[in-house]
Amino acid sequence: IECTLGYPVVRTVSGVSKNGFITAGHCYATSTYVKQPYGSSSANIGFVSARDFINNGDCDCEFIEQTSSDSRPNEVYAGANSVYSLTSKTDASVGQYVVVSGAGSNVIDWGIVEAVNYTYTGTAPGGSQVTIYGTTRVSSWSTQAGDSGAPVFDPTYNVKKFYGTFMGRIETGSYPDQRVYMPWSAIASNLFVS
């Protein structure tokens, strides 16, 4: 598994809107065709048409422009048999409980938001160091390779909110083994999605 598809969105640039999905920016290169599930020869869902992942940047995010006719409005998948319909997109606050559900670990795991506007420094694919500003730091989740880009959300009946996409694990420093994700506001402003 390479990465997890994050959430269905619409990207609007110069008055032209395109349906698609968001995931982590370190997942695929621009123009890469993405398949779901990974490895399937007949399941092209689209290609990466917008990407924001640079050292000293403020987003680890990308937009996969949809080329398939598959429609998944406001839904996230947790494991093979669970679907959650969400009603809104927003940023989480310190102290909130949030869920991550990635294709790599194939589990739902709750965590607590420990910090917002956190500066993440870690190792990017290929081994180079990267610093990303404006992330959200969460107490440890059970995650593994393939979970990058996974939706971060709250599925409870009275909340049903999407908060962002999973980035990775903090490797060193004061918070080893805690996790970080890109908050919705950073994704929306960098990729022009809603």
Side-chain angles (χ1 to χ4, degrees), residues 5-28:
L5 214 54
Y7 195 69
V9 294
V10 175
R11 182 171 192 257
T12 304
V13 177
S14 300
V16 177
S17 296
K18 301 284 185 177
N19 291 330
F21 303 89
I22 51 176
T23 192
H26 67 264
C27 289
Y28 308 101

Side-chain angles (χ1 to χ4, degrees), residues 109-138:
D109 201 6
W110 288 88
I112 299 172
V113 174
E114 301 282 344
V116 296
N117 203 25
Y118 177 76
T119 300
Y120 168 80
T121 300
T123 306
S128 62
Q129 286 294 112
V130 63
T131 298
I132 305 291
Y133 300 98
T135 71
T136 300
R137 180 169 50 83
V138 177

